Amino acid sequence: MPLTSKHWQLTAITEKVPAFQGIIPAADQPKYEVVFQDDGKLSGAADCNQFGGTYKTSGSDGLAITITTATMAFCPEGSFADLFVHGLARAKSYKVADHLTITLDDDGTMEFVAAAAGASPSANGAASAAASTPAGASASAAASSSVAPSAKPTPMPTAKPTAKPTAKPTAKPTTAASGAASAAPKPSATAGQSAPASSGLTGKTWQLTAITEKVPAFQGAIPADQQSNYTVTFNTDATFGAKADCNTVAGTYTTGASGDLSLTLGPSTIAACPSGSYSDLYLLGLGNAASYAVAGGQLTITVVDGGTLVYK
């Protein structure tokens, strides 16, 4: 079974640094798809987003993938969109048997099955459009998604991640087109949204110390020298800003009297952070926040699947 001319649908993703494993339900597998074309180009769907890029094979199994365009809609809770796209960008080898296995630079794997003949995955056409759209081209070239906002192809970083993450970014991010992330603008609170009551949540920059998630399954402590790379600050005007390693995200939030917490992620940078980064897992957790508690100088955010983000 060749690598090209198949609609490969993701069934599982495993990474070793940080160590986690995620299984894609059968009904969701068509949402995570990649097609390798004979001319060295590729296109695909990552849940509510589409992407395009190029690839090169070498030797008997070497594989290098560069993601060059991607839409930026924020997908529903539990989405593997960022993990999928950033995983592809870290490919180092592949094997095709009755299915496709792509091995990542940390020896994690992405497992795929070929779509059944005659299947019409919902995003194939849109993925092809995104792949053929050059950086900066009109959004009409990318198919619209059912998730608002309508997405515009955005250049992705061209450099592959380095082997080990750095403790801190060495410089302020620039634009995505130059290979790094640009700072996300701070949103304004929506009409009718009032500042939350004082509860110890605001007025601090919280540093992440541990993550527990169930989808994908992961539990781990953030090394002390990296905790300043994963932060969140809740402002009194119902906006927040967060740092996720080489990326930043801004948005709005609401709280409830019983400790309910809901975050709406807004503008975000989309750089593929170095191997070993917790960026994708962290942003996934923030987007799925359900409640919070502040005690003893520690903030705990509980996510919808029962996992937690713990901060100091």
Side-chain angles (χ1 to χ4, degrees):
M1 183 180 294
L3 178 65
T4 58
S5 303
K6 299 287 183 182
H7 292 276
W8 294 108
Q9 297 178 355
L10 185 70
T11 61
I13 180 170
T14 300
E15 293 194 15
K16 295 189 175 181
V17 184
F20 70 84
Q21 182 176 17
I23 304 298
I24 312 302
D28 291 341
Q29 290 170 11
K31 298 178 182 178
Y32 304 95
E33 181 178 88
V34 61
V35 179
F36 296 91
Q37 300 163 11
D38 291 329
D39 60 1
K41 295 180 180 179
L42 62 83
S43 60
D47 198 353
C48 66
N49 288 303
Q50 296 84 45
F51 62 88
T54 61
Y55 73 96
K56 291 182 180 180
T57 57
S58 59
S60 61
D61 65 354
L63 177 64
I65 293 175
T66 300
I67 305 299
T68 57
T69 60
T71 57
M72 294 177 60
F74 183 69
C75 300
E77 63 185 38
S79 175
F80 287 80
D82 290 344
L83 292 169
F84 179 42
V85 174
H86 291 161
L88 287 172
R90 295 171 47 214
K92 73 172 183 179
S93 63
Y94 75 100
K95 180 179 180 181
V96 180
D98 57 340
H99 65 285
L100 167 65
T101 300
I102 293 178
T103 300
L104 311 182
D105 56 9
D106 68 350
D107 292 326
T109 58
M110 302 175 76
E111 303 287 347
F112 299 80
V113 294
S120 299
S122 60
N124 284 349
S128 298
S132 62
T133 305
S138 169
S140 63
S144 60
S145 134
S146 60
V147 178
S150 58
K152 189 172 184 177
T154 302
M156 294 289 288
T158 56
K160 289 188 74 64
T162 55
K164 295 182 179 180
T166 54
K168 293 183 179 180
T170 56
K172 289 185 178 180
T174 55
T175 61
S178 65
S182 59
K186 181 180 176 181
S188 299
T190 56
Q193 196 170 33
S194 59
S198 177
S199 58
L201 187 65
T202 60
K204 300 178 182 179
T205 296
W206 297 101
Q207 295 187 6
L208 186 69
T209 61
I211 300 178
T212 300
E213 293 186 7
K214 294 184 179 180
V215 182
F218 173 78
Q219 181 174 5
I222 309 301
D225 64 349
Q226 296 183 39
Q227 291 172 7
S228 61
N229 290 344
Y230 303 93
T231 66
V232 63
T233 302
F234 295 94
N235 305 310
T236 56
D237 63 355
T239 65
F240 76 90
K243 180 180 179 183
D245 198 358
C246 68
N247 287 301
T248 57
V249 62
T252 59
Y253 72 99
T254 58
T255 59
S258 60
D260 294 341
L261 176 66
S262 177
L263 275 68
T264 300
L265 276 63
S268 173
T269 56
I270 55 173
C273 298
S275 177
S277 175
Y278 298 86
S279 176
D280 292 339
L281 289 170
Y282 181 38
L283 292 176
L284 181 63
L286 284 176
N288 292 334
S291 64
Y292 78 100
V294 178
Q298 176 177 286
L299 166 65
T300 300
I301 294 177
T302 300
V303 300
V304 292
D305 66 2
T308 56
L309 303 174
V310 180
Y311 300 81
K312 65 178 184 181

